[in-house]
Amino acid sequence: MPIKKQRPNTVQQSTNNALAATDDVVQIYDEAIIYKRGDYWQMRMWLQNEHSYARFSLRTQNKDTAIDKAKKQYYRLMSLMLAGKTYYSKTTRQGVIEKRVVGRKKIMFM
């Protein structure tokens, strides 16, 4: 039986290559980057606990203003993480699982 070859994740590779090829990429505090998409600056930061990126527009065309806004957003996201809050809301699946766990605890203690 032949070994099945795995396809590389072309979306992730092309995104990283596209960002690496441009000069309009600035790293913010080793955890976030800002990059220019079209005429406007965008920010992206990896959220370790949620296993996803927080992405949003900085709504400016000026690089210096984008860096200042990105630093403010970075502090806001870090304060949320340190406070134990999440950037994204719960999914329906997570809510159902938590509801079942609470229901089981009530039954066990009755």
Side-chain angles (χ1 to χ4, degrees):
M1 193 170 193
I3 297 174
K4 195 175 194 179
K5 292 184 180 179
Q6 293 181 352
R7 290 187 327 180
N9 188 352
T10 56
V11 174
Q12 185 179 8
Q13 289 175 353
S14 65
T15 303
N16 291 340
N17 290 341
L19 289 177
T22 63
D23 294 330
D24 294 330
V25 176
V26 179
Q27 192 166 0
I28 306 292
Y29 299 125
D30 296 334
E31 295 183 20
I33 63 166
I34 61 171
Y35 56 96
K36 199 167 188 180
R37 184 172 181 200
D39 291 334
Y40 292 93
W41 286 90
Q42 310 283 323
M43 180 178 173
R44 182 176 76 184
M45 180 176 168
W46 178 253
L47 303 173
Q48 187 67 33
N49 296 339
E50 300 181 44
H51 304 291
S52 61
Y53 282 103
R55 296 182 183 103
F56 43 90
S57 173
L58 297 172
R59 298 186 183 117
T60 184
Q61 296 178 353
N62 186 340
K63 185 176 183 177
D64 295 330
T65 306
I67 291 171
D68 292 339
K69 286 185 175 186
K71 288 180 181 179
K72 288 179 185 176
Q73 289 292 339
Y74 174 83
Y75 290 132
R76 187 181 68 82
L77 290 172
M78 290 303 291
S79 66
L80 281 174
M81 288 180 6
L82 292 174
K85 298 181 181 179
T86 60
Y87 179 72
Y88 292 106
S89 59
K90 289 182 188 177
T91 63
T92 305
R93 181 183 181 121
Q94 291 169 335
V96 169
I97 290 171
E98 287 178 12
K99 183 75 172 175
R100 286 183 182 171
V101 169
V102 169
R104 287 182 185 160
K105 287 182 180 177
K106 286 183 182 177
I107 292 171
M108 289 175 58
F109 293 114
M110 288 185 165

